[in-house]
Each structure stands twice: as C-alpha cells, then as structure tokens.
C-alpha cells in the first residue's frame, strides 16, 4: 500500500465491519483494482489538491446543503464506493420488489384495507400513524401510482449482507447529489473513471419526466409538469432547481398556482396555464391549507380536491408517509408475502416493536446496547445510539418510550460497512449506507444504478446523514467487459439538456404584488425549512 493506506490495516482491526475495498486479511477486492492503481500513483498533496478542487467546484456550481444553519459545499470523498454489476442486479431486484409491494399496500390502505381484514396488520397501527391522512381515503390515483419516486435506505452488515434500514416514499431527497457526484468524480479521479465500465446515472431526469407524464390524468395527451418547491430557504432547494432544469419543466412555489373548478393553473407571463402533473417537494401537512395546516403559506388551497376529481396528478401521492412509518417498516416482509406471494429479496434489520409489551420489556433492559428511533423521524433526528449515550440521555429516552410506546422502535447496533475515506491526509475506514432511488411509471419500476452513498466522516461514527455532518461518495456499479446497457457514464453537464424547456415562465417572487409583512415573511421562511426531509 502507498503511504495513504499505511494506517488502514490497523484501523480495520478496530472494527468488525465489512470493508468494501479490502477483505479481512487485507487483500484488495477485484472491483477496486483500477481505483487502487490510480491512488497508489498519487501523493498525499495530489489527493488533497483534487479533493479541494472538487469542493471548490461544488461551491461555484451552488451544490450545497444546510448544516446547522450554515450553507456548505456538498462533501464528496475522492474514493468511490464500487458495487459489482452482478451484485447490483440482486439489489435492484430487491428494491423494485419492495417498491411494488409498498405501492400495493398504499392503494389498499386508502381503499378497502384488505390487509387488515385478513389479519396481516392491525388497523390501529395504520390509523395511528402520523402520516395516515383520511382526507385522501377512497379515491384512486391516475395510473394507480402513488409511489412515483422512492429512496430505499440499505446497509451492509458485518457478514456482508445488504439489509433495508428504512423506506422513503413520501418526499425522498438526495438524487441531485448522485448526479453531481458523478460529474465531480469524473474530473477528480479521471484516470480510474475512464477505465471502468460504470453504469450511467445521467438518464434519471429523463426517466423521471417520462414516469410523471405517463401518470398524467386520463385524456391528457401532452401534460404540463411542474416541480413544486417550498422555496429558496428549504435545505433541498438546490435539488428542486436542478431536477426542474434537467427535466425542462417549471419550478413553482405554491403562490404560483391557483385552483379553480377543481383544476390547477400556473400563473405565467402569458396568462394562466393548466397544470396536469405536480412533482411535490414539500410535506403533506403544508400542501393544502383547506385540508391540512390552515396556517400553511407554502401550499395551494383546493389542490387535494383537484386531485380527488382526477384533474391533476400529485407525485408522490398525498398520504404516502404511512409507509415511511418505522413501525409499518417492521411489517414490510409480511406485506411482500401478502401482496406478491414472494419472500423478500432484501431482509429488514431485526427490529423490536416497542408497542408490544414483551419487546418493550426486553429493550428497557438493554437500552445501552441498542439504537432507538422515533417511528416518524427523518434525517437521523431523534435517534439514540445506546452505546454512545450518557446515563441521563438513556433515562430520558426510557421515559419517552414508556410514555409513547407506539412512537418508537429499537434495533441492534449494526457495524455498517466501511470504505476508505480521506481524513487528515490519510485514508481511514468510515461507515457508509446506500440509498438507491427507484422510479415507478405504472408499468415498471426502474432503479437508478448506484444511488447515494452517505458516509460518516468521523471514525467510528454510525451517523451518515448530511444534516448531521455526514458526507458522500460516488457509487459505481461496475460490469466486467462493459455495462449491461452497453453504455458507460459520460457525466454530461445538465445545462446542455434543456432543449425542451417551456418558453412560458412562472411569475418570479419579485412579480408578486401581495408583499408579505415581515412577520409573515419570517413564518414562510420557517415553513420552508420544515417542508421536505433532509438526506
């Protein structure tokens, strides 16, 4: 090994985690041979300079995220996470299976609840979920699709087995960073990138737009699609602008839309234009002040009734959050068996349901050994890692669980797999997870090759969320002898893909005449920060 890896074997011995690049005896895994050859030829200053260049590029392009109120360059490590093509094929099949089952589940629970009638799940589990919305019970979505876009979080345990950690079918975020990571790593590590048969990620916007158009209301031949953002203060605003630009559709805020006679119209410089499909990037609670939060300044009054009348498609569908509930997550293997008659291709992480007395009693005795999570949390917020918690934190957690057992689950502390990551001028093993993204067009579920690898930048830390200080890696799905599609990634700049952008423009914020007083403006800014979930 080069000096960059001088301390790596010793660091590996401090953990029982599966390392993605090296076997336990220190042998290089074959899929990393090209990357290793390039890294061996570089000095510490070379690697550091390339990392700094990538960070500057992200800042220049506005590829940032919000961390503790501070806008930072998106952190991308120079060593990619590499998955062999044949292994990825199994992951992709497992993710698609899960998305199809969750689609069936959501269509059922907002209709006849046959899964309850047949005794697979208790009704109370569904109806007590914070994101089960009776307001949308009983009407079908166009094309039967509720889960247009999903992000399924996976981890690899210390045996090398991939497991599902959680499901994101409400407002999944992070795909923009997949696209930007690929663009950046092509320049940061060009020698290795050009020599590998890497499956491309650049077709995601095209796939997404096609799926949105295919699920337009019946009878609409040339649907108008928009991306609905909470606004510029939302932590994922960069992603909203990127995807709208790459798809060639308008980016709108709630005040750019109006509902009339159960139809949705967009205000443009050429007058009002009918909107058929809305890619929603804000939480359901803020979507329609007539149905949910009456104080919402982000939504569109009447939009739920327009969807109920079949005149607009909302993607993802309102009410999907019930499937993100981490207590529902524990039933997903049974959901797959019930609706599909198949065994899950990717297992769950073993999980305790704390509403069950026996499980709760065992967890109370083992709090210091387990990870305890709120069932409706996101971005790592609210979870407590027992071995890292103080006695006071554990006691506070105990009281919260006893007061609301339905609101919590517990899992063993998994030693997530590790990948070499640059830190203090050397490479050390850092824990990673993986979020593959899937698109459902009503006929098929397509899984983006690779997805978002998030990495904990502190040695030993298991918290990978960017909102809590984590970073990312480009994820390469590599085939021997060429990619499955016959193509390799070319990292084409998104700015060249806007040939079909509409000539009609929405009113920018400065065109609105109903200027907010300062207190209302502050409230709107606070709501924008709440809409959507961090990755």
């Amino acid at each position: 090994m080069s000096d960059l890896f001088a301390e790596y074997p010793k660091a590996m011995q401090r953990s029982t985690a599966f390392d993605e690049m090296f076997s336990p005896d220190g042998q290089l895994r074959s899929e990393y041979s090209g990357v290793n050859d390039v890294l061996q030829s570089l000095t510490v200053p070379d690697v550091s300079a390339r990392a700094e260049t990538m960070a500057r590029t992200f800042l220049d392009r506005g590829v940032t995220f919000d961390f503790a109120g501070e806008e930072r360059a998106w952190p991308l490590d120079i060593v990619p996470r590499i998955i062999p093509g044949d292994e990825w094929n199994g992951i992709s099949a497992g993710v698609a299976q899960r998305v199809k089952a969750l689609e069936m589940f959501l269509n059922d629970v907002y209709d006849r609840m046959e899964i309850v009638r047949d005794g697979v799940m208790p009704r109370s589990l569904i109806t007590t979920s914070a994101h089960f919305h009776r307001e949308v019970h009983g009407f079908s979505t166009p094309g039967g699709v509720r889960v247009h876009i999903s992000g399924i979080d996976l981890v690899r345990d210390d045996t090398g087995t991939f497991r599902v950690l959680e499901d994101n079918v409400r407002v999944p975020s992070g795909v923009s960073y997949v696209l930007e990571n690929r663009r950046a790593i092509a320049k940061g590590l060009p020698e290795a990138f050009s020599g590998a048969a890497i499956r491309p990620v650049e077709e995601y916007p095209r796939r997404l737009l096609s799926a949105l158009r295919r699920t337009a209301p019946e009878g609409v031949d040339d649907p108008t699609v928009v991306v609905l953002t909470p606004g510029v203060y939302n932590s994922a605003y960069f992603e909203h602008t990127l995807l709208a630009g790459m798809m060639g559709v308008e980016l709108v805020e709630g005040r750019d839309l109006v509902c009339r006679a159960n139809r949705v119209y967009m205000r443009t410089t050429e007058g009002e234009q009918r909107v058929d499909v809305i890619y929603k990037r804000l939480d359901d609670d803020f979507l329609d002040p007539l149905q949910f939060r009456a104080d919402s300044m982000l939504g569109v009054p009447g939009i739920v009734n327009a969807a109920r009348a079949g005149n607009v498609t909302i993607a993802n569908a309102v009410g999907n959050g019930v499937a993100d509930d981490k207590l529902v997550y524990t039933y997903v293997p049974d959901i797959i068996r019930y609706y599909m008659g198949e065994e899950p291709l990717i297992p769950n992480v073993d999980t305790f349901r704390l509403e069950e007395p026996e499980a709760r009693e065992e967890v109370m005795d083992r709090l210091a050994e387990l990870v305890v999570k709120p069932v409706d949390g996101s971005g790592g917020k609210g979870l407590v890692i027992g071995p890292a918690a103080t006695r006071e934190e554990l006691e506070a957690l105990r009281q919260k669980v006893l007061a609301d057992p339905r609101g919590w689950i517990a899992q063993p502390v998994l030693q997530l797999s590790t990948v070499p990551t640059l830190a203090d001028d050397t490479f050390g093993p850092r824990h990673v997870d993986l979020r593959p993204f899937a698109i459902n067009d009503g006929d098929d579920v397509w899984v983006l090759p690779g997805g978002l690898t998030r990495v904990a930048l502190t040695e030993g830390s298991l918290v990978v969320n960017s909102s809590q200080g984590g970073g990312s890696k480009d994820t390469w799905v590599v085939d021997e002898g060429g990619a499955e599609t016959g193509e390799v990634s070319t990292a084409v700049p998104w700015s060249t893909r806007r040939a079909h952008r509409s000539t009609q423009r929405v009113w920018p914020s400065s065109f609105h005449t109903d200027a907010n007083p300062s207190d209302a403006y502050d409230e709107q800014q606070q709501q924008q920060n709440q809409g959507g979930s961090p990755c």
Side-chain angles (χ1 to χ4, degrees), residues 136-464:
V136 295
H137 190 278
F139 73 89
S140 301
T141 54
V145 179
R146 293 180 182 270
V147 185
H148 302 77
I149 309 101
S150 55
I152 308 299
D153 288 353
L154 307 179
V155 294
R156 197 201 291 264
D157 64 21
D158 54 6
T159 69
T161 301
F162 275 102
R163 294 179 178 272
V164 177
L165 185 64
E166 63 181 54
D167 304 294
N168 298 278
V169 298
R170 186 177 19 160
V171 190
S173 64
V175 74
S176 61
Y177 299 120
V178 176
L179 303 173
E180 289 293 334
N181 284 355
R182 180 58 53 85
R183 175 188 175 93
I185 206 71
K187 295 181 178 179
L189 207 64
E191 307 93 332
F193 186 86
S194 61
I198 307 168
R199 297 191 192 178
V201 298
E202 291 80 16
E203 62 178 310
Y204 180 89
R206 178 183 64 80
R207 292 267 192 170
L208 175 58
L209 180 60
S210 175
L212 294 173
R213 289 175 60 87
R214 291 187 65 177
T215 56
E218 186 176 354
V220 178
D221 296 326
D222 186 19
T224 296
V225 180
V226 299
V227 176
L228 176 60
T229 177
V232 297
Y233 296 105
N234 184 263
S235 61
Y237 184 72
F238 165 75
E239 177 159 298
H240 308 163
T241 60
L242 182 78
L243 291 178
M246 295 183 81
M247 289 191 292
V249 305
E250 299 295 353
L251 179 70
V252 301
E253 296 181 31
R255 57 184 175 175
D256 296 313
L257 303 178
V258 61
C259 291
R260 188 177 298 111
N262 283 340
R263 287 178 170 79
V264 180
Y265 298 89
M266 170 175 58
R267 298 185 178 99
T268 79
T269 54
E270 298 181 8
E272 292 182 353
Q273 178 181 351
R274 172 85 178 269
V275 173
D276 307 296
V277 182
I278 298 173
Y279 178 20
K280 167 178 66 72
R281 293 305 304 259
L282 67 158
D283 288 340
D284 291 347
D285 287 345
F286 295 92
L287 180 63
D288 188 337
L290 299 182
Q291 302 288 341
F292 304 113
R293 284 186 52 160
D295 65 340
S296 173
M297 304 179 72
L298 309 180
V300 185
I303 194 173
V304 169
N305 283 337
R308 181 184 290 277
N311 293 325
V312 69
T313 297
I314 300 175
N316 282 346
V318 178
N320 275 16
V322 66
D324 285 359
D325 188 304
K326 293 180 178 61
L327 189 56
V328 172
Y329 155 90
T330 68
Y331 285 86
V332 173
D334 294 326
I335 289 172
I336 293 172
R337 297 183 188 104
Y338 175 75
Y339 291 111
M340 304 184 71
E342 301 171 358
E343 285 300 309
L345 297 176
I346 306 177
N348 274 14
V349 174
D350 296 335
T351 307
F352 293 95
R353 299 168 183 161
L354 298 188
E355 67 169 1
E356 298 176 355
E358 291 183 4
R360 186 166 64 251
E361 182 177 354
E362 180 176 351
V363 170
M364 291 299 98
D365 291 337
R366 299 177 53 198
L367 272 183
E369 306 170 17
L370 301 170
V371 177
V372 182
K373 304 177 179 180
V375 297
D376 59 352
S378 63
K381 294 180 180 178
L383 70 81
V384 177
I385 301 176
T390 65
R391 182 177 301 178
E392 291 75 16
E393 288 171 336
L394 291 176
E395 182 56 34
L397 174 64
R398 183 188 305 276
Q399 297 307 317
K400 290 179 181 178
V401 170
L402 292 176
D404 179 24
R406 165 66 175 83
W408 300 85
I409 61 166
Q411 296 172 330
V413 178
L414 290 183
Q415 287 299 311
L416 313 183
S417 63
T418 56
V419 181
T421 302
L422 186 63
D424 300 324
D425 294 332
T426 188
F427 284 118
R430 297 292 186 268
H431 295 292
V432 297
D433 76 350
L434 176 64
R435 177 176 290 181
F437 293 90
I439 293 175
N440 179 13
D441 66 6
D443 294 324
D444 190 29
V445 175
W446 175 78
V447 182
L448 176 70
L452 178 64
T453 289
R454 301 179 297 181
V455 55
L457 297 178
T458 302
E459 183 174 6
S461 173
L462 299 173
V463 180
V464 300

Side-chain angles (χ1 to χ4, degrees), residues 78-89:
I78 198 168
V79 181
R81 194 250 190 93
I82 302 177
I83 302 174
D86 56 353
E87 185 175 28
W88 174 258
N89 292 342

